[in-house]
Amino acid sequence: PPSLRDWLGEGHLAWFILDAVEQVDLDEFFAAYRNDGWGAAAYDPAMMVAVLLYAYCRGLRSSRRIAQALEEDVGFRVVAANQQPDFRTLCRFRAEHEEALERLFVQVLRLCREAGLVKLGVAALDGTKVAASAALAANRSYKAVEEEVRRILAEAKAVDTEEDTRYGPDRRGDEMPEGLG
């Protein structure tokens, strides 16, 4: 099989996300999983965190759209090590670890700032360009970053809830219409 390193350029966001997730403490995510051989195998929490972080940086909040991107987008496939958790698994992981994700995302955004990737931090918060104060205090406030992360996670939850209502809890929403398949 081809090397994933050949799929994306060296400076791609996917590589930064993978490196950042390696540097943060994920014990809180692993604590929820059994280590005694019982139960079904779970996706690696580090991979799940990286996928959600990468998706939110790219402006994707819907678990259904993230699952679709895991099949179709090279960057997502690299971040997920070519694994494809379904939308229910992504949504459940986000819901079960919402507070831990909030703390972790703030840590990762701090890493962005420390690495001199302030523009990435802004992109990670929101892809929408708006007129705003560019003062150093305005764009680096810990409280503002925390609030923005909270807003992103709330938006992801709202999008998933709305899509569950629209498509049903077990449908992704991009299935072929009946009679065409």
mmCIF file of all heavy atoms in Angstrom, residues 75-108:
data_model
loop_
_atom_site.group_PDB
_atom_site.id
_atom_site.type_symbol
_atom_site.label_atom_id
_atom_site.label_comp_id
_atom_site.label_asym_id
_atom_site.label_seq_id
_atom_site.Cartn_x
_atom_site.Cartn_y
_atom_site.Cartn_z
ATOM 1 N N GLY A 75 -7.165 14.121 3.586
ATOM 2 C CA GLY A 75 -6.732 14.642 4.880
ATOM 3 C C GLY A 75 -7.398 13.902 6.029
ATOM 4 O O GLY A 75 -6.732 13.541 7.015
ATOM 5 N N PHE A 76 -8.682 13.660 5.917
ATOM 6 C CA PHE A 76 -9.395 12.925 6.964
ATOM 7 C C PHE A 76 -8.897 11.484 7.053
ATOM 8 O O PHE A 76 -8.747 10.941 8.136
ATOM 9 C CB PHE A 76 -10.906 12.944 6.708
ATOM 10 C CG PHE A 76 -11.576 14.172 7.222
ATOM 11 C CD1 PHE A 76 -11.758 15.265 6.395
ATOM 12 C CD2 PHE A 76 -12.024 14.246 8.527
ATOM 13 C CE1 PHE A 76 -12.373 16.409 6.865
ATOM 14 C CE2 PHE A 76 -12.646 15.385 9.000
ATOM 15 C CZ PHE A 76 -12.815 16.471 8.180
ATOM 16 N N ARG A 77 -8.628 10.879 5.906
ATOM 17 C CA ARG A 77 -8.153 9.490 5.907
ATOM 18 C C ARG A 77 -6.778 9.388 6.566
ATOM 19 O O ARG A 77 -6.491 8.417 7.270
ATOM 20 C CB ARG A 77 -8.133 8.937 4.493
ATOM 21 C CG ARG A 77 -9.569 8.800 3.956
ATOM 22 C CD ARG A 77 -9.604 8.189 2.618
ATOM 23 N NE ARG A 77 -9.372 6.749 2.773
ATOM 24 C CZ ARG A 77 -9.723 5.864 1.863
ATOM 25 N NH1 ARG A 77 -10.291 6.254 0.744
ATOM 26 N NH2 ARG A 77 -9.490 4.595 2.050
ATOM 27 N N VAL A 78 -5.947 10.387 6.355
ATOM 28 C CA VAL A 78 -4.632 10.406 6.993
ATOM 29 C C VAL A 78 -4.791 10.548 8.504
ATOM 30 O O VAL A 78 -4.188 9.799 9.274
ATOM 31 C CB VAL A 78 -3.756 11.542 6.414
ATOM 32 C CG1 VAL A 78 -2.530 11.790 7.278
ATOM 33 C CG2 VAL A 78 -3.348 11.215 4.982
ATOM 34 N N VAL A 79 -5.607 11.495 8.943
ATOM 35 C CA VAL A 79 -5.800 11.733 10.376
ATOM 36 C C VAL A 79 -6.379 10.492 11.054
ATOM 37 O O VAL A 79 -6.003 10.148 12.177
ATOM 38 C CB VAL A 79 -6.704 12.965 10.613
ATOM 39 C CG1 VAL A 79 -7.113 13.079 12.072
ATOM 40 C CG2 VAL A 79 -5.985 14.230 10.178
ATOM 41 N N ALA A 80 -7.267 9.785 10.376
ATOM 42 C CA ALA A 80 -7.917 8.605 10.952
ATOM 43 C C ALA A 80 -7.150 7.314 10.688
ATOM 44 O O ALA A 80 -7.646 6.237 11.004
ATOM 45 C CB ALA A 80 -9.330 8.481 10.402
ATOM 46 N N ALA A 81 -5.969 7.410 10.108
ATOM 47 C CA ALA A 81 -5.179 6.220 9.765
ATOM 48 C C ALA A 81 -6.005 5.250 8.939
ATOM 49 O O ALA A 81 -5.971 4.048 9.137
ATOM 50 C CB ALA A 81 -4.625 5.557 11.026
ATOM 51 N N ASN A 82 -6.782 5.811 8.034
ATOM 52 C CA ASN A 82 -7.606 5.048 7.093
ATOM 53 C C ASN A 82 -8.738 4.264 7.763
ATOM 54 O O ASN A 82 -9.300 3.358 7.167
ATOM 55 C CB ASN A 82 -6.751 4.125 6.240
ATOM 56 C CG ASN A 82 -7.051 4.290 4.770
ATOM 57 O OD1 ASN A 82 -7.871 5.114 4.372
ATOM 58 N ND2 ASN A 82 -6.393 3.501 3.947
ATOM 59 N N GLN A 83 -9.075 4.603 8.992
ATOM 60 C CA GLN A 83 -10.218 3.989 9.664
ATOM 61 C C GLN A 83 -11.448 4.839 9.389
ATOM 62 O O GLN A 83 -11.331 6.035 9.119
ATOM 63 C CB GLN A 83 -9.965 3.896 11.164
ATOM 64 C CG GLN A 83 -8.765 3.017 11.502
ATOM 65 C CD GLN A 83 -8.501 3.016 12.977
ATOM 66 O OE1 GLN A 83 -9.221 2.394 13.742
ATOM 67 N NE2 GLN A 83 -7.472 3.739 13.382
ATOM 68 N N GLN A 84 -12.629 4.241 9.485
ATOM 69 C CA GLN A 84 -13.842 4.970 9.150
ATOM 70 C C GLN A 84 -14.952 4.729 10.174
ATOM 71 O O GLN A 84 -15.922 4.010 9.892
ATOM 72 C CB GLN A 84 -14.309 4.583 7.754
ATOM 73 C CG GLN A 84 -13.306 4.965 6.705
ATOM 74 C CD GLN A 84 -13.691 4.490 5.313
ATOM 75 O OE1 GLN A 84 -14.572 3.678 5.123
ATOM 76 N NE2 GLN A 84 -12.994 5.027 4.331
ATOM 77 N N PRO A 85 -14.826 5.338 11.359
ATOM 78 C CA PRO A 85 -15.926 5.209 12.315
ATOM 79 C C PRO A 85 -17.189 5.845 11.725
ATOM 80 O O PRO A 85 -17.106 6.838 11.001
ATOM 81 C CB PRO A 85 -15.442 5.981 13.543
ATOM 82 C CG PRO A 85 -14.298 6.818 13.077
ATOM 83 C CD PRO A 85 -13.743 6.169 11.861
ATOM 84 N N ASP A 86 -18.339 5.252 12.008
ATOM 85 C CA ASP A 86 -19.575 5.801 11.453
ATOM 86 C C ASP A 86 -20.022 7.028 12.247
ATOM 87 O O ASP A 86 -19.464 7.349 13.294
ATOM 88 C CB ASP A 86 -20.673 4.740 11.382
ATOM 89 C CG ASP A 86 -21.193 4.301 12.744
ATOM 90 O OD1 ASP A 86 -20.734 4.819 13.782
ATOM 91 O OD2 ASP A 86 -22.081 3.435 12.781
ATOM 92 N N PHE A 87 -21.045 7.701 11.736
ATOM 93 C CA PHE A 87 -21.468 8.971 12.344
ATOM 94 C C PHE A 87 -21.981 8.778 13.762
ATOM 95 O O PHE A 87 -21.794 9.635 14.617
ATOM 96 C CB PHE A 87 -22.495 9.695 11.456
ATOM 97 C CG PHE A 87 -23.874 9.095 11.460
ATOM 98 C CD1 PHE A 87 -24.822 9.502 12.371
ATOM 99 C CD2 PHE A 87 -24.225 8.133 10.519
ATOM 100 C CE1 PHE A 87 -26.092 8.958 12.368
ATOM 101 C CE2 PHE A 87 -25.489 7.587 10.499
ATOM 102 C CZ PHE A 87 -26.431 7.994 11.433
ATOM 103 N N ARG A 88 -22.622 7.636 14.050
ATOM 104 C CA ARG A 88 -23.128 7.405 15.405
ATOM 105 C C ARG A 88 -21.967 7.285 16.393
ATOM 106 O O ARG A 88 -22.033 7.800 17.501
ATOM 107 C CB ARG A 88 -23.996 6.143 15.429
ATOM 108 C CG ARG A 88 -25.313 6.303 14.689
ATOM 109 C CD ARG A 88 -26.131 5.015 14.678
ATOM 110 N NE ARG A 88 -25.444 3.894 14.029
ATOM 111 C CZ ARG A 88 -25.421 3.666 12.714
ATOM 112 N NH1 ARG A 88 -26.057 4.485 11.906
ATOM 113 N NH2 ARG A 88 -24.784 2.641 12.209
ATOM 114 N N THR A 89 -20.901 6.623 15.983
ATOM 115 C CA THR A 89 -19.725 6.472 16.839
ATOM 116 C C THR A 89 -19.082 7.831 17.108
ATOM 117 O O THR A 89 -18.712 8.145 18.245
ATOM 118 C CB THR A 89 -18.708 5.517 16.174
ATOM 119 O OG1 THR A 89 -19.353 4.261 15.933
ATOM 120 C CG2 THR A 89 -17.488 5.309 17.044
ATOM 121 N N LEU A 90 -18.960 8.649 16.065
ATOM 122 C CA LEU A 90 -18.391 9.996 16.220
ATOM 123 C C LEU A 90 -19.250 10.842 17.153
ATOM 124 O O LEU A 90 -18.740 11.514 18.056
ATOM 125 C CB LEU A 90 -18.263 10.674 14.858
ATOM 126 C CG LEU A 90 -17.244 10.056 13.905
ATOM 127 C CD1 LEU A 90 -17.493 10.526 12.475
ATOM 128 C CD2 LEU A 90 -15.831 10.391 14.347
ATOM 129 N N CYS A 91 -20.550 10.802 16.936
ATOM 130 C CA CYS A 91 -21.477 11.598 17.743
ATOM 131 C C CYS A 91 -21.448 11.142 19.206
ATOM 132 O O CYS A 91 -21.394 11.963 20.128
ATOM 133 C CB CYS A 91 -22.888 11.470 17.166
ATOM 134 S SG CYS A 91 -24.107 12.490 17.987
ATOM 135 N N ARG A 92 -21.459 9.849 19.422
ATOM 136 C CA ARG A 92 -21.432 9.299 20.780
ATOM 137 C C ARG A 92 -20.119 9.668 21.484
ATOM 138 O O ARG A 92 -20.120 10.062 22.652
ATOM 139 C CB ARG A 92 -21.616 7.785 20.721
ATOM 140 C CG ARG A 92 -21.852 7.126 22.048
ATOM 141 C CD ARG A 92 -22.245 5.645 21.960
ATOM 142 N NE ARG A 92 -21.519 4.892 20.953
ATOM 143 C CZ ARG A 92 -22.050 4.461 19.791
ATOM 144 N NH1 ARG A 92 -23.304 4.713 19.490
ATOM 145 N NH2 ARG A 92 -21.310 3.768 18.935
ATOM 146 N N PHE A 93 -18.995 9.587 20.765
ATOM 147 C CA PHE A 93 -17.702 9.945 21.348
ATOM 148 C C PHE A 93 -17.702 11.416 21.771
ATOM 149 O O PHE A 93 -17.278 11.753 22.876
ATOM 150 C CB PHE A 93 -16.564 9.677 20.356
ATOM 151 C CG PHE A 93 -15.201 9.929 20.925
ATOM 152 C CD1 PHE A 93 -14.544 8.939 21.639
ATOM 153 C CD2 PHE A 93 -14.567 11.148 20.750
ATOM 154 C CE1 PHE A 93 -13.289 9.161 22.179
ATOM 155 C CE2 PHE A 93 -13.308 11.383 21.279
ATOM 156 C CZ PHE A 93 -12.659 10.388 21.996
ATOM 157 N N ARG A 94 -18.204 12.296 20.894
ATOM 158 C CA ARG A 94 -18.266 13.720 21.230
ATOM 159 C C ARG A 94 -19.141 13.950 22.452
ATOM 160 O O ARG A 94 -18.779 14.675 23.371
ATOM 161 C CB ARG A 94 -18.792 14.543 20.056
ATOM 162 C CG ARG A 94 -18.848 16.040 20.383
ATOM 163 C CD ARG A 94 -19.749 16.830 19.453
ATOM 164 N NE ARG A 94 -20.955 16.183 19.021
ATOM 165 C CZ ARG A 94 -22.070 16.070 19.756
ATOM 166 N NH1 ARG A 94 -22.109 16.541 20.986
ATOM 167 N NH2 ARG A 94 -23.139 15.478 19.267
ATOM 168 N N ALA A 95 -20.302 13.298 22.492
ATOM 169 C CA ALA A 95 -21.236 13.486 23.603
ATOM 170 C C ALA A 95 -20.666 12.961 24.921
ATOM 171 O O ALA A 95 -20.798 13.608 25.961
ATOM 172 C CB ALA A 95 -22.563 12.796 23.288
ATOM 173 N N GLU A 96 -20.019 11.800 24.879
ATOM 174 C CA GLU A 96 -19.474 11.201 26.101
ATOM 175 C C GLU A 96 -18.264 11.951 26.644
ATOM 176 O O GLU A 96 -17.979 11.888 27.833
ATOM 177 C CB GLU A 96 -19.093 9.741 25.840
ATOM 178 C CG GLU A 96 -20.285 8.834 25.647
ATOM 179 C CD GLU A 96 -19.910 7.423 25.224
ATOM 180 O OE1 GLU A 96 -18.694 7.137 25.066
ATOM 181 O OE2 GLU A 96 -20.834 6.610 25.039
ATOM 182 N N HIS A 97 -17.554 12.637 25.785
ATOM 183 C CA HIS A 97 -16.308 13.301 26.189
ATOM 184 C C HIS A 97 -16.355 14.814 25.972
ATOM 185 O O HIS A 97 -15.300 15.433 25.811
ATOM 186 C CB HIS A 97 -15.129 12.716 25.401
ATOM 187 C CG HIS A 97 -14.945 11.249 25.584
ATOM 188 N ND1 HIS A 97 -14.437 10.703 26.737
ATOM 189 C CD2 HIS A 97 -15.213 10.206 24.765
ATOM 190 C CE1 HIS A 97 -14.383 9.389 26.624
ATOM 191 N NE2 HIS A 97 -14.854 9.053 25.432
ATOM 192 N N GLU A 98 -17.531 15.391 25.996
ATOM 193 C CA GLU A 98 -17.676 16.808 25.642
ATOM 194 C C GLU A 98 -16.813 17.727 26.508
ATOM 195 O O GLU A 98 -16.113 18.597 25.991
ATOM 196 C CB GLU A 98 -19.143 17.231 25.717
ATOM 197 C CG GLU A 98 -19.401 18.549 25.060
ATOM 198 C CD GLU A 98 -20.873 18.777 24.758
ATOM 199 O OE1 GLU A 98 -21.680 17.870 24.913
ATOM 200 O OE2 GLU A 98 -21.187 19.911 24.367
ATOM 201 N N GLU A 99 -16.838 17.528 27.812
ATOM 202 C CA GLU A 99 -16.052 18.406 28.690
ATOM 203 C C GLU A 99 -14.556 18.207 28.484
ATOM 204 O O GLU A 99 -13.788 19.172 28.459
ATOM 205 C CB GLU A 99 -16.436 18.161 30.149
ATOM 206 C CG GLU A 99 -17.828 18.655 30.491
ATOM 207 C CD GLU A 99 -18.210 18.359 31.931
ATOM 208 O OE1 GLU A 99 -17.305 18.037 32.745
ATOM 209 O OE2 GLU A 99 -19.404 18.453 32.246
ATOM 210 N N ALA A 100 -14.146 16.963 28.335
ATOM 211 C CA ALA A 100 -12.723 16.680 28.108
ATOM 212 C C ALA A 100 -12.279 17.248 26.759
ATOM 213 O O ALA A 100 -11.173 17.776 26.635
ATOM 214 C CB ALA A 100 -12.466 15.176 28.160
ATOM 215 N N LEU A 101 -13.136 17.145 25.743
ATOM 216 C CA LEU A 101 -12.810 17.710 24.427
ATOM 217 C C LEU A 101 -12.652 19.217 24.511
ATOM 218 O O LEU A 101 -11.745 19.784 23.902
ATOM 219 C CB LEU A 101 -13.895 17.355 23.404
ATOM 220 C CG LEU A 101 -13.872 15.934 22.871
ATOM 221 C CD1 LEU A 101 -15.161 15.632 22.111
ATOM 222 C CD2 LEU A 101 -12.668 15.706 21.981
ATOM 223 N N GLU A 102 -13.517 19.847 25.280
ATOM 224 C CA GLU A 102 -13.428 21.302 25.434
ATOM 225 C C GLU A 102 -12.069 21.700 26.012
ATOM 226 O O GLU A 102 -11.382 22.564 25.479
ATOM 227 C CB GLU A 102 -14.556 21.786 26.344
ATOM 228 C CG GLU A 102 -14.608 23.278 26.511
ATOM 229 C CD GLU A 102 -15.750 23.710 27.406
ATOM 230 O OE1 GLU A 102 -16.838 23.109 27.327
ATOM 231 O OE2 GLU A 102 -15.547 24.666 28.183
ATOM 232 N N ARG A 103 -11.667 21.019 27.082
ATOM 233 C CA ARG A 103 -10.366 21.325 27.701
ATOM 234 C C ARG A 103 -9.218 21.025 26.740
ATOM 235 O O ARG A 103 -8.270 21.788 26.626
ATOM 236 C CB ARG A 103 -10.201 20.536 29.000
ATOM 237 C CG ARG A 103 -11.079 21.035 30.134
ATOM 238 C CD ARG A 103 -10.751 20.347 31.443
ATOM 239 N NE ARG A 103 -11.118 18.935 31.449
ATOM 240 C CZ ARG A 103 -12.340 18.468 31.713
ATOM 241 N NH1 ARG A 103 -13.319 19.306 31.984
ATOM 242 N NH2 ARG A 103 -12.579 17.172 31.715
ATOM 243 N N LEU A 104 -9.321 19.910 26.037
ATOM 244 C CA LEU A 104 -8.258 19.509 25.118
ATOM 245 C C LEU A 104 -8.128 20.483 23.956
ATOM 246 O O LEU A 104 -7.027 20.854 23.568
ATOM 247 C CB LEU A 104 -8.521 18.099 24.587
ATOM 248 C CG LEU A 104 -7.466 17.634 23.612
ATOM 249 C CD1 LEU A 104 -6.316 17.002 24.367
ATOM 250 C CD2 LEU A 104 -8.041 16.685 22.616
ATOM 251 N N PHE A 105 -9.249 20.898 23.375
ATOM 252 C CA PHE A 105 -9.195 21.812 22.233
ATOM 253 C C PHE A 105 -8.550 23.130 22.629
ATOM 254 O O PHE A 105 -7.800 23.713 21.855
ATOM 255 C CB PHE A 105 -10.584 22.047 21.648
ATOM 256 C CG PHE A 105 -11.138 20.858 20.900
ATOM 257 C CD1 PHE A 105 -12.412 20.887 20.386
ATOM 258 C CD2 PHE A 105 -10.402 19.709 20.718
ATOM 259 C CE1 PHE A 105 -12.939 19.814 19.691
ATOM 260 C CE2 PHE A 105 -10.912 18.618 20.030
ATOM 261 C CZ PHE A 105 -12.184 18.662 19.521
ATOM 262 N N VAL A 106 -8.824 23.588 23.829
ATOM 263 C CA VAL A 106 -8.186 24.814 24.299
ATOM 264 C C VAL A 106 -6.676 24.592 24.403
ATOM 265 O O VAL A 106 -5.886 25.447 23.994
ATOM 266 C CB VAL A 106 -8.793 25.269 25.646
ATOM 267 C CG1 VAL A 106 -7.978 26.397 26.257
ATOM 268 C CG2 VAL A 106 -10.240 25.714 25.450
ATOM 269 N N GLN A 107 -6.246 23.421 24.890
ATOM 270 C CA GLN A 107 -4.816 23.097 24.956
ATOM 271 C C GLN A 107 -4.184 23.110 23.570
ATOM 272 O O GLN A 107 -3.090 23.636 23.375
ATOM 273 C CB GLN A 107 -4.602 21.704 25.552
ATOM 274 C CG GLN A 107 -4.700 21.599 27.023
ATOM 275 C CD GLN A 107 -4.426 20.149 27.470
ATOM 276 O OE1 GLN A 107 -4.286 19.245 26.661
ATOM 277 N NE2 GLN A 107 -4.363 19.958 28.767
ATOM 278 N N VAL A 108 -4.868 22.509 22.611
ATOM 279 C CA VAL A 108 -4.327 22.438 21.249
ATOM 280 C C VAL A 108 -4.240 23.831 20.644
ATOM 281 O O VAL A 108 -3.258 24.162 19.972
ATOM 282 C CB VAL A 108 -5.158 21.480 20.366
ATOM 283 C CG1 VAL A 108 -4.741 21.582 18.911
ATOM 284 C CG2 VAL A 108 -4.993 20.051 20.853
#
